[in-house]
Structure formats: structure tokens, C-alpha cells
Amino acid sequence: MMKFFLRIGFLLWAFGGLFAARATPIDAPPTLTVGQMHGSCQKTCWAVREGAKGSESLRDSLTLTCLNACFKCFLQLRSCSQSSANSAPSECAAAFLQCYKQSFAERLKSKPLVSFDGGDGHSREMAVKIVGAANSLEGVPAEDFWIQLKHPAWRKKERRFVKEGGIYDVIVYDTPNGPQTVWFDVKDFYVKNGEENLRLLAPK
């Protein structure tokens, strides 16, 4: 399953999203921007999710692993494009592809993958529990992923960090029916990084 997801996801994105989207020959330098490359990577993660076999929980975990690899390597790609003004765009693109492939494969080998437990998030008692995240860079995007799966029309409005009776990221969303609040139990990954998590979990 994991080998299938890695192989198909990488090839579909690399050759379908990166080159075919612009009708560019495979041996020609990519012409996509940094943002477009990241977007193509994300779209493929969602597309391959529909073709992967296994339980919904496993497919969610694999898709989130793919998305996290896209984000991690997007940061590297952006840094490359900004600091290597004299480098050919294809050099940064090639580095991005290699980073994605390596990051995805390495994370699939480590256990556990990110998953969800708990309730529907409408209260502290029914908080959505983020399980298996190695750090905030995996845990915080998992919140957005859960919302996109359950409530794709919702848009993040504000957030607050609660350390009473547990450790929670409490987020208010704008929805077609008015503001809705979702509680995420983030203790599992917060304790792995301590106060460093406050930077990512602070209200924005």
C-alpha cells in the first residue's frame, strides 16, 4: 500500500502536474512558479487518495503524510529560488522533487503516521485528537486537513491556545451557518516540542 502510494503519487505529480500542466517536454526546464509547484503537489496528494486502497483512516494518514512532504519541501524550494538567483530554475525544481520523494519515503517508514481520534470537536470533551504527529509542522496542518475533509466550506477566522484540563488548539471558523468553534487536542505533539509550539499555535 505505502509503496503504491509513494510511487503513483510521486510519478503522477512529477510528470502530470509539473510538466503536462504546461505541456512542457520532460527534458525541458520546468516553467511553473514556486507556488504552482506546491499547488500541483498538494492536488496530487488529494487525487491519489481517491485511488489508494485500504481503510479511510489509512488513506487519510497517507494523504496527510504526502501533504506534509509537499509543505516541507516547498519551504526548501522557496529558499532555493530566493537565494540562488544565478541558478537555473530546473535546479531548484529537481531539488524539490528529490526532497519530496525522500521526505515522503522516510516518513512512511516511521511509526506512527498522523491520525485522528476523539470526537467531532464541538467541545473540550469532544475534542478532535491529533495522534502521531512528530511535531507542530505535522500537527498543525493536520487540523486544516481534518476541517477540509469534514467541512470544506469552513474558513479559519481566529484561534486560541488553552492549557486548562489538557492542551488544546481552539479554532473559530466562518461557516455558511455562522461562526463555529472546533476544539483540537494537541497534547500528543505539543509535549514533544514544548514551548516551541507556541509560535505556531499562537493566534493569527
Side-chain angles (χ1 to χ4, degrees), residues 65-101:
T65 301
C66 178
L67 291 169
N68 282 335
C70 291
F71 178 70
K72 175 182 178 180
C73 298
F74 161 70
L75 297 179
Q76 176 177 307
L77 174 65
R78 185 173 62 183
S79 177
C80 177
S81 65
Q82 293 174 345
S83 62
S84 303
N86 297 323
S87 298
S90 58
E91 294 181 7
C92 291
F96 177 78
L97 294 176
Q98 181 59 33
C99 173
Y100 166 83
K101 184 177 181 180

Side-chain angles (χ1 to χ4, degrees), residues 147-148 150-155 174-176:
I147 288 294
Q148 191 165 359
K150 304 295 184 181
H151 310 287
W154 291 16
R155 296 294 178 262
D174 281 326
T175 82

Side-chain angles (χ1 to χ4, degrees), residues 11 44 68 125 171 180 183 197 201 204:
L11 291 177
T44 297
N68 282 335
E125 294 72 24
I171 305 178
Q180 297 288 336
W183 289 69
N197 288 272
L201 293 174
K204 297 181 179 179

Side-chain angles (χ1 to χ4, degrees), residues 1-13 104:
M1 168 63 69
M2 291 183 181
K3 289 182 179 179
F4 164 82
F5 194 88
L6 174 60
R7 184 180 301 112
I8 298 301
F10 178 71
L11 291 177
L12 280 178
W13 173 70
F104 194 8

Side-chain angles (χ1 to χ4, degrees), residues 3-171:
K3 289 182 179 179
F4 164 82
F5 194 88
L6 174 60
R7 184 180 301 112
I8 298 301
F10 178 71
L11 291 177
L12 280 178
W13 173 70
F15 298 111
L18 183 58
F19 299 108
R22 289 297 189 88
T24 305
I26 291 178
D27 59 353
T31 58
L32 299 183
T33 66
V34 170
Q36 288 171 329
M37 290 180 68
H38 186 217
S40 294
C41 189
Q42 291 178 311
K43 288 179 181 178
T44 297
C45 292
W46 284 98
V48 177
R49 177 180 183 272
E50 302 305 318
K53 298 180 180 179
S55 67
E56 182 176 0
S57 177
L58 175 60
R59 290 188 294 117
D60 289 347
S61 294
L62 290 172
T63 304
L64 186 53
T65 301
C66 178
L67 291 169
N68 282 335
C70 291
F71 178 70
K72 175 182 178 180
C73 298
F74 161 70
L75 297 179
Q76 176 177 307
L77 174 65
R78 185 173 62 183
S79 177
C80 177
S81 65
Q82 293 174 345
S83 62
S84 303
N86 297 323
S87 298
S90 58
E91 294 181 7
C92 291
F96 177 78
L97 294 176
Q98 181 59 33
C99 173
Y100 166 83
K101 184 177 181 180
Q102 182 177 346
S103 297
F104 194 8
E106 289 179 351
R107 187 61 180 91
L108 289 180
K109 294 177 183 178
S110 62
K111 300 292 183 178
L113 296 179
V114 182
S115 61
F116 304 99
D117 201 353
D120 62 8
H122 76 269
S123 67
R124 185 197 308 262
E125 294 72 24
M126 295 296 292
V128 179
K129 186 175 183 180
I130 309 297
V131 181
N135 48 47
S136 297
L137 291 177
E138 289 190 356
V140 174
E143 301 170 351
D144 296 333
F145 178 74
W146 187 89
I147 288 294
Q148 191 165 359
L149 283 176
K150 304 295 184 181
H151 310 287
W154 291 16
R155 296 294 178 262
K156 189 182 297 183
K157 181 179 180 181
E158 59 186 56
R159 73 195 312 166
R160 59 192 174 94
F161 189 59
V162 176
K163 294 181 67 175
E164 298 177 3
I167 303 178
Y168 303 93
D169 195 12
V170 185
I171 305 178

